[in-house]
């Protein structure tokens, strides 16, 4: 069973993050998902982690310049060498203060590794 979702990261989207349509690149959001998930993983174990996979990332709504995007995390699964973290993403619209929109969600799998990049136990 997943832990409750915790606020983990909050970012204001800037003009440098936009595509030709004026919305934020999906890759920028993916990068922040990975960062938020990595923060959640490091709270579980003081190990170095690598990202193994992202599952079911579907973009539900666009993100615009000035939106404040929040990333919430919860641990879904703890294995011997890996963790699965759920990341929910919402945007507070810059042009509509107080209006929050669910943007996307993902499950990210992280593997604890040693200095040589080999998987190691979490504990």
């Amino acid at each position: 069973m997943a832990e409750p979702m915790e606020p983990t990261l909050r970012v204001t989207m800037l003009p440098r993050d936009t595509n030709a349509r004026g919305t934020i690149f999906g890759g920028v959001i993916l990068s922040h998902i990975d960062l938020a998930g990595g923060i959640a993983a490091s709270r579980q174990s003081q190990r170095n982690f690598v990202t193994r996979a992202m599952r079911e990332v579907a973009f539900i709504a666009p993100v615009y310049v000035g939106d404040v995007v929040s990333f919430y995390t919860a641990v879904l699964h703890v294995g011997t060498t890996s963790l699965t973290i759920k990341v929910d993403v919402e945007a507070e619209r810059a042009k509509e203060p107080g209006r929050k929109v669910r943007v996307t969600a993902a499950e990210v799998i992280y593997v604890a590794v040693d200095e040589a990049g080999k998987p190691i136990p979490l504990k």
Side-chain angles (χ1 to χ4, degrees), residues 4-123:
M5 299 298 283
E6 281 192 33
T8 306
L9 184 65
R10 183 166 284 154
V11 182
T12 301
M13 293 293 115
L14 302 173
R16 69 173 181 237
D17 301 321
T18 59
N19 59 30
R21 293 196 59 220
T23 59
I24 303 303
F25 279 111
V28 170
I29 301 299
L30 290 174
S31 174
H32 291 304
I33 287 171
D34 196 21
L35 181 59
I39 290 168
S42 69
R43 288 178 178 161
Q44 296 295 309
S45 178
Q46 295 301 308
R47 301 285 194 202
N48 290 322
F49 287 94
V50 295
T51 306
R52 173 73 172 102
M54 281 193 187
R55 292 185 184 152
E56 301 180 27
V57 180
F59 294 98
I60 301 164
V63 177
Y64 302 102
V65 170
D67 286 356
V68 176
V69 182
S70 298
F71 299 80
Y72 299 89
T73 61
V75 176
L76 292 181
H77 176 75
V78 177
T80 304
T81 62
S82 67
L83 296 165
T84 302
I85 307 289
K86 179 173 177 52
V87 183
D88 283 346
V89 184
E90 71 178 19
E92 183 174 348
R93 297 298 189 206
K95 295 181 179 180
E96 302 174 66
R99 180 171 177 243
K100 295 178 181 177
V101 177
R102 186 165 190 250
V103 175
T104 190
E107 289 182 13
V108 189
I109 300 168
Y110 297 91
V111 177
V113 295
D114 63 16
E115 299 302 322
K118 303 282 186 194
I120 58 173
L122 293 173
K123 306 238 184 224

